[in-house]
Amino acid sequence: MSRFMDVHHGMTGITADQLKQAHQADLDIEKDEGVHFEKAWADPESGTIYCLSEAPSAEAVQRVHERAGHPADEVHAVPLAV
């Protein structure tokens, strides 16, 4: 499995509860695509959300987000970490 960081824009003013609900929506269906969402971060001021996942492909990550109702604007492979 590969690791991915995806980015959502336009979520200005998102609350911690809304972020938690969106993350849970992903978790509820992630197994259908063989994805595991590890963590999500948000900047309510800029409206940017970041999600870290392990998945077989960027397309699988996007399919989960689309089904959960919040498609990602960007999905990036992150093959290196320190």
Side-chain angles (χ1 to χ4, degrees):
M1 290 255 269
S2 299
R3 189 167 270 173
F4 295 90
M5 179 69 72
D6 63 77
V7 184
H8 306 255
H9 299 287
M11 306 292 278
T12 305
I14 190 168
T15 66
D17 189 52
Q18 290 169 323
L19 179 62
K20 187 184 294 184
Q21 289 174 16
H23 184 63
Q24 188 60 54
D26 293 329
L27 296 177
D28 289 346
I29 59 175
E30 68 182 10
K31 286 184 177 60
D32 294 348
E33 296 288 346
V35 175
H36 175 61
F37 285 93
E38 298 178 13
K39 191 143 182 115
W41 299 265
D43 177 358
E45 189 173 315
S46 72
T48 307
I49 296 174
Y50 303 92
C51 302
L52 181 65
S53 62
E54 287 190 343
S57 67
E59 293 80 16
V61 172
Q62 185 65 283
R63 283 191 298 268
V64 173
H65 279 319
E66 287 174 355
R67 288 180 52 204
H70 44 262
D73 295 299
E74 306 167 36
V75 181
H76 303 278
V78 285
L80 297 176
V82 293

